[in-house]
Amino acid sequence: MDSAILTQKQDLESPRMLNGEFIFTGGGGDRRYAFSRQTSFRQSIEPHTPNDYSKPFLSRSASSIDIPPATVYSQDAAENLWREEAGFLAQEKGPVNKFSILLVVSSVFRILKSGNRLTKRLLMLIFLNVAYSTVELLIGLLSGHIGLVSDAFHLTFGCGILTFSLFAIVTSQKKPDRSYTYGYKRLEVLAAFTNALFLLFMCFSLAVEALHAFIQDESEHKHYLIVSAVTNLLVNIVGVWFFRNYTRINLVYRNAEDMNYHSVCLHVLADSIRSAGLILASWLLSLGVRNAEALCLGLVSVTVFMLVLPLFKATGGTLLQMAPSGIPSSALNKCYRQVISRDDVSEVSLPRFWELVPGYVVGSLTLQVKEGMDDRPVLQYVQGMYQDLGVQELTVQTDYTVNSHSLH
């Protein structure tokens, strides 16, 4: 059975493309022919830019799967080849193993020097939270207030989550390599998902604390230190001001950076709501309102949960490779019906479409082409139709239908 593969790729930097004609290379033996939307070699190794691509042409090339004859090396040549491969592996693994404090410090200074405004603001917010949590921990240990120590550990863990978001922003700028052929952009989606998971855990913790306050007599509780809550609120308000453009709940994610920055904004916003709830609970308790702590903490828990749930669903859907939200399912079904209705196509199977990152849709499907039909027109038709729909990268495998009488 002959097979052909259509790979739709993105032209990344310039509109230069290869020749748009089909190049067919025949030959004996078992060979497979690949249709690919190609750019130059230099462009093929550049990171994908979802919102900036031009339409490459199709070219057809042959790749043999024949096993080449064994090559006999002399002992000296074999030793030289081994040394070259060992040196290459050491060079590949070197940057991974050379992780040190100096590397972290140099990365911080590089962010401060060449990072964008939001990246610098995130680094400043992390420094503020680390300084505040350190002071709160020292005061709690010296004064013996367990509540301050617990809140300091909570803030420290939150600083770790924000640091992971910063690490994702910096690492996502790296170009694709042999290990991560799609690049590192999805690391920002993972950071946003981790942030959302942390905030959901905070909601559960606040709900448990509210239930404990409702069951136990509030007269035995020590009131929260109003100075600590106000200071924490002021620090978080600075963070909310830094990322005020991402305060909307149902934000439309145009790229992975939007998703990551939105998670950072929700993180500081949730901490602000938590601090405001603690201040309100302390004030109501001073007025003699019963069950004020349970009411305020429960309200904060529900509010934060409603804020974080859309982000959790969006990031989880991207990581689970759900159907792209930007393309209606009715449009995908319409394209499927148009392809199956062609006279030269007998079957369409395994249609799969997902978002690699927000704004970058990837797809693949398999076509059964009738025997004796030329598959090039249907390949051009399919790639053009799905590209117009918004699929940036498409892989189509075509197989020829073989009649049963031709096998005898």
Side-chain angles (χ1 to χ4, degrees):
M1 178 183 298
D2 293 335
S3 63
I5 299 174
L6 170 66
T7 306
Q8 177 183 335
K9 291 184 180 178
Q10 192 178 12
D11 194 0
L12 303 166
E13 292 182 351
S14 66
R16 294 184 304 165
M17 292 173 256
L18 297 181
N19 191 350
E21 298 179 356
F22 290 97
I23 304 173
F24 181 83
T25 306
D30 187 4
R31 290 177 175 268
R32 295 178 181 248
Y33 299 93
F35 281 95
S36 61
R37 302 182 60 200
Q38 298 177 354
T39 59
S40 64
F41 175 77
R42 175 176 175 271
Q43 291 170 337
S44 63
I45 61 175
E46 294 292 331
H48 295 292
T49 306
N51 296 324
D52 183 19
Y53 67 94
S54 57
K55 183 178 180 179
F57 292 97
L58 292 173
S59 64
R60 185 170 185 170
S61 60
S63 58
S64 175
I65 61 173
D66 294 334
I67 300 177
T71 304
V72 180
Y73 295 97
S74 63
Q75 183 177 0
D76 295 338
E79 289 180 355
N80 292 333
L81 180 62
W82 179 83
R83 290 192 185 97
E84 291 178 1
E85 293 182 353
F88 175 77
L89 292 176
Q91 184 179 2
E92 288 289 325
K93 296 181 180 180
V96 179
N97 296 328
K98 293 181 180 179
F99 181 79
S100 61
I101 301 298
L102 294 178
L103 183 60
V104 176
V105 174
S106 63
S107 300
V108 171
F109 281 104
R110 186 171 66 252
I111 294 171
L112 291 175
K113 183 178 180 180
S114 60
N116 57 29
R117 183 176 61 179
L118 291 177
T119 305
K120 295 178 181 179
R121 287 180 174 182
L122 178 56
L123 184 61
M124 186 183 304
L125 179 63
I126 293 173
F127 284 158
L128 286 175
N129 278 275
V130 169
Y132 173 72
S133 61
T134 302
V135 173
E136 188 177 32
L137 178 62
L138 292 177
I139 294 177
L141 291 176
L142 295 177
S143 61
H145 292 292
I146 304 300
L148 287 178
V149 176
S150 176
D151 188 65
F153 277 109
H154 166 79
L155 292 177
T156 302
F157 192 71
C159 290
I161 300 296
L162 294 179
T163 304
F164 180 50
S165 297
L166 180 62
F167 169 78
I169 294 172
V170 176
T171 307
S172 65
Q173 306 302 320
K174 294 177 61 178
K175 299 179 180 180
D177 52 30
R178 294 184 178 182
S179 298
Y180 297 92
T181 55
Y182 272 112
Y184 295 81
K185 279 294 182 181
R186 229 182 196 191
L187 189 60
E188 295 203 67
V189 182
L190 181 61
F193 177 79
T194 305
N195 221 328
L197 199 62
F198 168 76
L199 294 179
L200 290 179
F201 177 77
M202 188 183 75
C203 294
F204 175 76
S205 177
L206 290 174
V208 172
E209 190 175 350
L211 181 61
H212 178 75
F214 179 76
I215 295 175
Q216 191 172 350
D217 187 7
E218 289 186 347
S219 61
E220 298 178 2
H221 284 287
K222 294 181 179 180
H223 293 177
Y224 290 96
L225 294 179
I226 191 68
V227 176
S228 174
V230 170
T231 306
N232 192 9
L233 179 61
L234 293 177
V235 172
N236 289 319
I237 287 178
V238 173
V240 174
W241 173 256
F242 282 167
F243 301 96
R244 59 189 180 276
N245 293 331
Y246 296 91
T247 52
R248 288 175 293 177
I249 300 176
N250 293 314
L251 184 67
V252 178
Y253 304 114
R254 297 167 297 178
N255 46 50
E257 289 84 357
D258 288 344
M259 187 172 283
N260 195 9
Y261 284 129
H262 187 210
S263 69
V264 172
C265 179
L266 290 183
H267 184 108
V268 293
L269 183 61
D271 274 345
S272 301
I273 296 174
R274 174 176 171 270
S275 299
L278 295 177
I279 295 173
L280 180 61
S282 178
W283 179 64
L284 292 178
L285 286 174
S286 63
L287 296 178
V289 179
R290 297 183 57 85
N291 297 324
E293 185 177 2
L295 179 62
C296 292
L297 292 179
L299 184 61
V300 169
S301 177
V302 173
T303 304
V304 174
F305 179 82
M306 297 300 295
L307 288 174
V308 177
L309 188 59
L311 175 65
F312 180 76
K313 293 172 63 177
T315 53
T318 302
L319 294 176
L320 292 175
Q321 299 187 165
M322 293 179 61
S325 58
I327 301 179
S329 58
S330 59
L332 293 175
N333 293 332
K334 182 179 180 180
C335 290
Y336 174 84
R337 291 193 300 267
Q338 289 179 355
V339 174
I340 197 65
S341 63
R342 288 179 60 93
D343 295 335
D344 49 1
V345 176
S346 60
E347 184 181 354
V348 179
S349 60
L350 301 177
R352 295 167 179 169
F353 299 91
W354 68 94
E355 278 188 322
L356 179 67
V357 293
Y360 192 81
V361 181
V362 180
S364 65
L365 66 145
T366 301
L367 301 179
Q368 289 286 342
V369 181
K370 295 179 181 179
E371 186 181 12
M373 295 289 186
D374 187 7
D375 58 356
R376 287 174 291 185
V378 67
L379 291 174
Q380 288 180 320
Y381 174 78
V382 170
Q383 70 87 17
M385 180 176 56
Y386 279 102
Q387 183 185 10
D388 294 338
L389 191 63
V391 179
Q392 280 85 0
E393 187 168 331
L394 178 66
T395 301
V396 179
Q397 178 177 340
T398 61
D399 297 327
Y400 285 98
T401 304
V402 180
N403 296 328
S404 59
H405 66 270
S406 63
L407 299 177
H408 299 286

